[in-house]
Amino acid sequence: QVQLVESGGGVVQPGRSLRLSCAVSGFSFSNYGMHWVRQAPGKGLEWVAVIWYDGSKKDYGDSVKGRVTISRDNAKNTLYLQMNRLRVEDTAVYYCAREKERWLPIFDSWGKGTLVAVSS
Amino acid sequence: DIQLTQSPSTLSASVGDRVTITCRASQNVDNWLAWYQQKPGKAPKLLIYRATDLESGVPSRFSGSGSGTEITLTISSLQPDDFATYYCQQYKSSPWTFGQGTKVEIK
């Protein structure tokens, strides 16, 4: 069955960096666009980033643009999110999510999420 | 960016009630709108996409209607498993945005 497992979250000081990973299984990873979506504690959902199935295109939400890089390794079935210059307001559960179909940015499979807490 | 506003923010209802949640967009999204259900501590679950299409495995008591700037999610007969928070999401244009959520509580 489809599985997405995030890792790499933790407590980090403002201004530092963190790399999140999302290991997937149960589907052909290289055929799907992948996204990161985050949720601050007690708040709603916020789309963070997308990477096309082949890595050829990336796009970012306004609040993270310039500080975050999404990447993927199709040979390792793994999605990444490199987060730099972290801010307190980046504190959230970060979910990786699969597009339902190529180029259709709705999310039919999600991981359980990894918590990033930015605090001094 | 397209802003989505859901109403109500909180809804108190009983098992068996018909429930309607509205998602209003700041710009026309045509029918490029999805609905998700999220329970505490869990990831969201896709319910409906393209405003009216039911995701596989989702009970038929869930339905979507509308297009343009006002789209609704209806639960025809609320079941105990349906008490959760519901989010709409537009995919008309990037950045893909979500509504603020509607919490459906037990009355």
Side-chain angles (χ1 to χ4, degrees):
Chain A
Q1 73 278 22
V2 173
Q3 278 197 310
L4 298 85
V5 180
E6 302 93 339
S7 60
V11 180
V12 60
Q13 293 179 325
R16 304 297 289 264
S17 298
L18 205 61
R19 189 176 83 154
L20 307 183
S21 300
C22 172
V24 315
S25 59
F27 66 99
S28 182
F29 180 62
S30 60
N31 283 343
Y32 288 85
M34 296 294 297
H35 298 248
W36 289 96
V37 177
R38 69 182 182 182
Q39 187 168 36
K43 302 297 184 183
L45 301 168
E46 180 186 14
W47 174 75
V48 174
V50 59
I51 185 167
W52 280 20
Y53 67 101
D54 59 357
S56 62
K57 184 175 177 180
K58 307 171 185 180
D59 193 15
Y60 300 95
D62 295 338
S63 61
V64 301
K65 201 170 289 186
R67 300 188 297 119
V68 160
T69 302
I70 189 172
S71 62
R72 65 190 296 159
D73 186 335
N74 284 347
K76 294 183 177 179
N77 288 345
T78 304
L79 175 73
Y80 303 100
L81 188 70
Q82 177 67 43
M83 307 175 67
N84 300 325
R85 303 195 304 279
L86 281 161
R87 304 169 179 168
V88 171
E89 53 266 35
D90 294 321
T91 295
V93 174
Y94 285 74
Y95 296 101
C96 63
R98 185 186 80 168
E99 289 188 337
K100 178 173 170 63
E101 298 171 10
R102 194 178 290 181
W103 303 309
L104 190 66
I106 56 174
F107 317 120
D108 69 344
S109 297
W110 299 66
K112 293 185 177 181
T114 187
L115 176 62
V116 173
V118 184
S119 172
S120 54
Chain B
D1 298 3
I2 297 177
Q3 312 301 321
L4 299 180
T5 303
Q6 292 180 228
S7 60
S9 294
T10 305
L11 188 160
S12 295
S14 301
V15 172
D17 284 353
R18 181 181 181 88
V19 164
T20 298
I21 300 168
T22 300
C23 181
R24 290 185 175 85
S26 61
Q27 304 171 36
N28 178 21
V29 298
D30 295 318
N31 62 345
W32 302 115
L33 191 114
W35 290 97
Y36 299 85
Q37 176 194 68
Q38 187 180 32
K39 296 181 179 178
K42 302 292 187 183
K45 173 186 174 184
L46 178 65
L47 298 176
I48 287 173
Y49 60 99
R50 212 175 291 141
T52 59
D53 293 353
L54 202 64
E55 174 69 349
S56 176
V58 173
S60 59
R61 63 181 179 271
F62 291 91
S63 64
S65 63
S67 66
T69 60
E70 187 166 313
I71 296 167
T72 60
L73 170 71
T74 299
I75 309 172
S76 61
S77 177
L78 200 64
Q79 298 301 300
D81 192 47
D82 302 338
F83 292 97
T85 300
Y86 294 84
Y87 294 93
C88 57
Q89 178 227 331
Q90 66 81 21
Y91 52 108
K92 166 79 171 181
S93 65
S94 177
W96 324 119
T97 50
F98 293 87
Q100 84 280 11
T102 295
K103 185 175 183 180
V104 177
E105 298 181 327
I106 300 172
K107 193 172 186 178

